[in-house]
Amino acid sequence: MMERTFLMLKPDAIQRGLMSEILGRIEAKGYKPVAMKFMRLPKELAERHYGEHKGKPFFPGLIEYITSGPSLVMVWEGENIISGMRVLMGKTNPSEASPGTIRGDLAQQTGRNLIHGSDSPESAKREIELFFNDYELQTWDRSVQPWMIE
Ligand code: DAT
Ligand code: MG
């Protein structure tokens, strides 16, 4: 099923100069970019984005980290991309994430795990709408698509 997901390269990915490394993996998979913005999340937006975690012990630290510098917020499209990106990202705790995954290869700690990806179609819809207007989402065709999706 063709889906869209919301992805964010968090401030540690930007600070560490890992944008191209991570974007390269997503592009090489064949997923298609739909929208991108480089922005420092205002606190209120960060709190809305992570609303499901409000009240948990790590919430204040999470908001501080995620608003500490610019992030790259994005929408990407692909076949079953929501679960596919969760696999490419690896487990939330990088010390448990498999080698070959973004978190498994490039990160050490849950509080510095480089990337966010929506965890369900409902979250993807909510998160895309939270960060992007309709006119910021590009609908476009790539001639190479039939060589990846039959
Ligand atoms: P994911 O980012 O894999 O969807 P999540 O939605 O459970 O994971 O949590 C969101 C983020 O919150 C996660 O990327 C890092 C932070 N976080 C989660 N659990 C944590 C914990 N136990 N200690 C510190 N940070 C945590
Ligand atoms: Mg999550």
Side-chain angles (χ1 to χ4, degrees), residues 10 50 52-53 58 62 86 89-92 103 110-111 113 115-117 119:
K10 298 177 180 179
Y50 280 125
E52 62 171 315
H53 297 301
F58 61 81
L62 174 62
R86 299 288 298 188
M89 284 160 51
K91 285 195 179 173
T92 305
R103 289 163 168 173
T110 304
N113 65 5
I115 182 167
H116 167 86
D119 63 7

Side-chain angles (χ1 to χ4, degrees), residues 11-72:
D12 49 338
I14 311 305
Q15 293 287 349
R16 292 177 58 197
L18 291 173
M19 275 194 292
S20 60
E21 164 74 38
I22 297 170
L23 291 178
R25 292 174 180 222
I26 302 170
E27 247 192 335
K29 177 82 172 176
Y31 292 148
K32 184 168 73 177
V34 169
M36 291 190 194
K37 281 195 284 206
F38 189 63
M39 64 183 289
R40 184 169 180 163
L41 273 63
K43 188 158 183 257
E44 185 197 278
L45 179 59
E47 287 178 346
R48 282 181 70 189
H49 172 65
Y50 280 125
E52 62 171 315
H53 297 301
K54 196 156 195 174
K56 295 182 185 170
F58 61 81
F59 188 75
L62 174 62
I63 298 304
E64 194 178 340
Y65 153 57
I66 222 69
T67 59
S68 64
S71 294
L72 185 66

